[in-house]
Amino acid sequence: MINITNENIDDIKNIINFEDEWKELLEVCLNCKKCGLYKTRTNLVFGKGSHSAKIMFIGEAPGETEDREGLPFVGRAGKLLDKYMYYFDFNLENVYIANMLKCRPPNNRDPQESEQDSCIDYLRLQTKLLNPKIIVCLGRISAMRIIKPDFRISSEHGKWFRKGEIHMTAVYHPSALLRDPPKKADALLDFKSVREKATELGLM
Ligand code: URA
């Protein structure tokens, strides 16, 4: 049991309010009908990781396994992502992982522009609550939406961009690495660069 004192009462209130805001946002997403994907999903895939993390990974949209389990990156691509994370000491206590879309597009098709438009505000609110110092886009689709519309993953992966206080980069999507294993060497360097940036910013 936490001992509440005059010294820590404000901190405790802030933590309770902060967690309530996360819960409210989840509730709003669970009830969202802004696009049609809520009709075909099994589960909403909101995000996973620590609410006090300063490093945020953003993927594209849930796949079949994610839809079944309600968590991002738990299928084949997720298992590969886990390996890179483990290698560079990233884990669910120091990162937060979310997707552009919270519901699975049928047959894993690319998210439509209108679906992204419907869902982006929820991701913005998650980002606002988290207040990350580093955002790592997983793949082209999220990089084009979050870093810049003309982002070219083949030539710009691993490069750093800055928006205000947030340092941003993109790495190849783990599914692209499964399809094209020679790209794994580039991904290793890109994750190394993320780790170095995290150290440089005093996050790890
Ligand atoms: N691909 C993504 O972009 N996100 C997931 O959660 C799983 C696969």
Side-chain angles (χ1 to χ4, degrees):
M1 172 105 81
I2 301 172
N3 187 19
I4 301 177
T5 64
N6 281 339
E7 281 70 45
N8 68 12
I9 181 98
D10 284 340
D11 287 345
I12 290 170
K13 275 194 211 153
N14 284 340
I15 290 167
I16 291 170
N17 287 341
F18 177 67
E19 284 306 326
D20 280 351
E21 286 183 48
W22 278 100
K23 274 196 209 127
E24 276 167 34
L25 180 55
L26 170 63
E27 206 54 44
V28 173
C29 291
L30 282 166
N31 292 309
C32 175
K33 296 191 173 146
K34 285 210 259 173
C35 77
L37 293 181
Y38 76 95
K39 292 184 199 153
T40 48
R41 73 163 188 237
T42 311
N43 285 296
L44 180 91
V45 178
F46 184 72
K48 68 178 179 185
S50 166
H51 292 168
S52 50
K54 291 291 156 219
I55 305 167
M56 187 177 195
F57 284 78
I58 302 177
E60 193 176 306
E64 189 182 0
T65 318
E66 290 75 22
D67 177 61
R68 202 169 48 237
E69 297 191 20
L71 288 168
F73 286 100
V74 286
R76 267 185 81 220
K79 300 274 175 289
L80 180 59
L81 176 62
D82 286 348
K83 288 187 188 161
Y84 285 92
M85 303 246 302
Y86 180 77
Y87 196 76
F88 291 104
D89 287 332
F90 297 122
N91 54 56
L92 295 181
E93 277 164 25
N94 59 24
V95 310
Y96 187 82
I97 306 179
N99 279 311
M100 300 283 310
L101 256 58
K102 306 220 168 332
C103 299
R104 181 191 183 209
N107 305 317
N108 295 350
R109 62 160 168 73
D110 280 353
Q112 290 168 357
E113 198 75 18
S114 62
E115 292 160 351
Q116 293 184 37
D117 290 345
S118 301
C119 222
I120 193 79
D121 280 343
Y122 301 134
L123 185 66
R124 283 202 186 104
L125 288 168
Q126 281 175 302
T127 310
K128 196 162 180 244
L129 282 173
L130 200 66
N131 190 21
K133 296 289 166 267
I134 293 178
I135 290 182
V136 181
C137 297
L138 295 165
R140 179 181 63 93
I141 303 260
S142 96
M144 286 172 68
R145 191 75 197 214
I146 289 158
I147 300 179
K148 54 177 185 148
D150 61 347
F151 192 92
R152 295 185 64 85
I153 193 80
S154 49
S155 56
E156 295 183 291
H157 67 87
K159 291 203 172 130
W160 285 94
F161 299 80
R162 191 159 172 186
K163 287 193 187 170
E165 292 301 297
I166 309 182
H167 300 259
M168 299 182 176
T169 191
V171 300
Y172 282 116
H173 193 287
S175 301
L177 301 177
L178 289 172
R179 283 193 302 270
D180 188 0
K183 288 195 168 89
K184 286 181 180 175
D186 280 341
L188 203 61
L189 291 176
D190 294 346
F191 270 85
K192 180 167 178 273
S193 167
V194 175
R195 176 58 218 256
E196 283 165 359
K197 183 66 80 182
T199 306
E200 179 192 319
L201 298 176
L203 306 178
M204 292 174 72

